[in-house]
Amino acid sequence: MKKFYTFLCAALVACSASATGLLKFNKVDAQKNLRSVSFVQATAKKAPAQITPAAGTNFTISVSEITATGASVSITPAEENQTYLATVLEKSVIEGFEDDAALVAEVKSEMDDLIEYYTQYGYTVSYADFCYTGADVMPVSSLDPETEYAVIAYGIDTETAAATTAVEAAYFTTTEAAQSENVLTLTYEDGKLYVKTTTNDPWIYIPESVAEYNKYQADLSQESVNAEMDDWAYTLDYYGVSDVFTFTGDQTIDLNEVYSNYFSSAGLVAGTEYMVLAAGYADGLRTTDATYITFTYGEGEGETGGETGGEDGPFGMVITVSDITSSSAVVSVSPSDNTTYYYFDVMTVDELMEYDGAADLSADYKAYFDEAIEYYAQYGYSLSYTDFASQGDDNYTFEDLEAGTYVAFAYAMDVTTGLATEDAKLVVKTFTIESDGGGETPEPEGEFAATIEVSDISATEATVSVTPADETQAYYYEVLDEETFAEYPTAATLSAALKESFDYYIELYAQYGYELSYSDFASTGADNYTFTGLTPGAKYTVAAYAMSTSTGLATSELLTKEFSTLEGVDSDNEIGLSYANGVITITTTNDDPYFMIMETKAEYDSYEDDLSDDSLLDEIKSWLDLTDAYGYTQYFTNSGNQTLDVNEFWTTYFSEDDLEEGQYILLVAPYSGYINGAVKYILFDYTVDGITNVKVYDNLSDAKLIKNGQVVIRHNNKLFNTKGIQVK
């Protein structure tokens, strides 16, 4: 029942290729979802201009919906099946080329670079992937305001990238970026930011330490403040959280709460100098000069004069427990001294009785903190004891509690040691979780009138189509393997388990300002979904039920349909592994794909007991679950002979830092949506001078993947499923 702070970090980072050169319409980037765009410090408010289509010999080009930062380009070739390349360039760039041939040569060079780049990550890309055939409409963004651009197009030979027609162009100019007249006035008092505005135009703000600001900006000039605000605006927009920091009109903002929710679990740190930047903001862009305010937190913030009452602790602390249900409770802690670091959690009375006070208890928590710090360090994240501590008022909803008597407790924490302070004593508050009468949800009555069809069945995939008799009826459907269906055989048990998953996502998205409801997980009318990651040659059950969008639970009995996946096909690909001069060479006997992953031996040992067949299969299966969950399996799947620079592989996908000296392991296995061949690994000691003690493992001759995650899996006590969450 431990309360762990949620660290927002990606387990893996997909490599992003930015089309910053001539290829503004980079179809390959768009298809691979890898494109990033540059930031423009303005936004358009004026009505878009229109441009008369350019009547060329080979192409008709028109530009519409022109703003300060974007436009819509339409190109129609004279010959209906003409293959061509199109892009948008500043007019000054066009004028820099001696002739058409020079421009075409430069475009070819950029395509060559991108083809080489994508090849590193298992993509087969050709010149044709960058081109268009027939009439097309292409949106373009990230342009500069009040700048003249040229849309160019020319026929292309997709084998050689040579031009087959003259280069034709149409010119347009982006509009002026109108600035907001909103004037923002910032004041600070007792941990709160007060913002006054003169118009109702939207604005954005960001809090950060002055030390953080100084890392990136040389001074507090208007130019530097604007640059910092622009960087933050782009970052917030890139990660999809700009809405959380965007407001209209006057506002009062609790900075400590914001900081603890989005930047550090400890919130603002006493004695630290902070600043808040704010500016007009619309469509991802700053629309006014940025303004700022600085303050030092901890000088009188939150003082209560010692009036703590209730559970008065050794440093003036009150613990309250509220919103108690049959499985959860909200614990709130309010210290009189907001500068004091502390830790709080919940245990049963029996569990807490095993410890001899705060010092003994905190030693166990320190061990957990140390383990988490070491784990995240492997992925380049630097954590400290401060990240686990609280400061000021804090609360947490403890879930999955069973019936019984519990103790909410807290102790003052030394963030330099991770232990309780020398004089710390436990502050406690007991509460009781009452039984809900056995925890069983009554079985709903009545049938779910619908038809279920299963098609396109392969070894690892199947498409399920559901057509309800009542098109207005909300319902949910899932695919269950035999073991899972045996565990959740009724609509009541299955919908109760899935409701846990819905509740988890609703709470998770709420942290970032998104409002979800049970209706976002339900279907209405005819629906279909292709379930992937299934086990070859296995029996499955499609389970569907009418669903209440107010409770998230079933309102009918289960409607089911059974099917079996096709048998998997074993690969006869014989994979060889060898090492020389910092490079692992992978040789194959055919082009069957394979999956590979690399980790420290210490991390492997933290999950697996040994290097047995079962352990190796379990480890590579866990990695597949992780990469599948984040959509990154493709980056670790290759075919044919490969050379792998181990340090480059490590820094590309696992850490920002180079490999350190130590023992590492590379796992490789044939993979066609499931492990269908022998698993090998190389175990090596890495040193700055190279790799020694290389061992090649190969004795899993009849390996087949029993892939976890095919239907419903348990992860951190939450229910996840292959269908996933489809937010409408």
Side-chain angles (χ1 to χ4, degrees), residues 9 27 88 124 155 157 180 317-318 345 348 416 435-436 461 474 513 515 578 624 630 637 688 698:
C9 67
K27 292 181 67 180
V88 171
T124 301
D157 183 332
S180 168
M317 177 183 293
V318 176
D345 204 348
T348 65
T416 63
S435 171
D436 62 354
E461 297 183 1
E515 293 186 8
S578 61
L624 279 168
Y630 284 92
T637 304
V688 294
D698 178 14

Side-chain angles (χ1 to χ4, degrees), residues 322-340:
S322 60
D323 298 331
I324 301 174
T325 71
S326 60
S327 62
S328 66
V330 177
V331 175
S332 303
V333 182
S334 181
S336 60
D337 182 355
N338 284 343
T339 67
T340 299

Side-chain angles (χ1 to χ4, degrees), residues 452 454 457 482 485 539-542 560-564:
I452 299 175
V454 184
I457 301 172
E482 288 184 295
F485 186 57
K539 292 182 179 179
Y540 288 94
T541 299
V542 180
T560 62
K561 186 178 183 68
E562 295 182 351
F563 72 94
S564 296

Side-chain angles (χ1 to χ4, degrees), residues 26-42:
N26 188 347
K27 292 181 67 180
V28 177
D29 274 347
Q31 292 162 354
K32 303 295 186 290
N33 195 26
L34 297 177
R35 182 176 179 181
S36 61
V37 296
S38 58
F39 182 71
V40 182
Q41 300 181 18

Side-chain angles (χ1 to χ4, degrees), residues 80-225:
E80 183 178 355
N81 295 322
Q82 172 73 61
T83 298
Y84 59 96
L85 188 137
T87 189
V88 171
L89 302 172
E90 289 188 24
K91 183 180 179 182
S92 60
V93 174
I94 290 284
E95 294 171 343
F97 289 100
E98 181 178 351
D99 52 26
D100 287 359
L103 172 61
V104 171
E106 183 62 29
V107 171
K108 178 182 182 299
S109 176
E110 185 169 327
M111 287 192 291
D112 289 338
D113 289 343
L114 287 169
I115 289 171
E116 180 181 358
Y117 175 85
Y118 285 116
T119 301
Q120 300 176 54
Y121 303 102
Y123 292 106
T124 301
V125 179
S126 67
Y127 295 131
D129 293 312
F130 297 90
C131 301
Y132 296 84
T133 300
D136 213 329
V137 177
M138 310 150 190
V140 59
S141 59
S142 300
L143 305 180
D144 291 328
E146 299 180 87
T147 302
E148 191 170 6
Y149 287 91
V151 181
I152 67 165
Y154 60 87
I156 188 171
D157 183 332
T158 56
E159 294 295 327
T160 65
T164 59
T165 71
V167 176
E168 298 181 10
Y171 295 89
F172 70 97
T173 301
T174 50
T175 62
E176 178 185 0
Q179 296 287 293
S180 168
E181 296 180 354
N182 198 8
V183 178
L184 306 176
T185 303
L186 312 181
T187 56
Y188 169 84
E189 183 179 355
D190 198 23
K192 290 183 171 58
L193 174 71
Y194 299 90
V195 183
K196 294 291 185 183
T197 62
T198 58
T199 75
N200 209 37
D201 289 348
W203 53 271
I204 194 168
Y205 82 99
I206 198 75
E208 67 177 330
S209 68
V210 171
E212 182 75 8
Y213 176 92
N214 290 337
K215 289 181 182 178
Y216 302 99
Q217 306 301 333
D219 51 38
L220 289 170
S221 65
Q222 188 64 64
E223 181 181 5
S224 295
V225 172

Side-chain angles (χ1 to χ4, degrees), residues 3 46 143 164 283 329 435 465 611 618 642 695 711 714:
K3 172 183 69 67
K46 294 186 176 181
L143 305 180
T164 59
D283 301 323
S435 171
S465 301
L611 292 169
D618 181 70
Q642 299 285 337
K695 300 178 182 178
V711 185
R714 291 283 182 173

Side-chain angles (χ1 to χ4, degrees), residues 105 111-112 483 495 594:
M111 287 192 291
D112 289 338
E483 181 180 354
S495 67
Y594 53 86

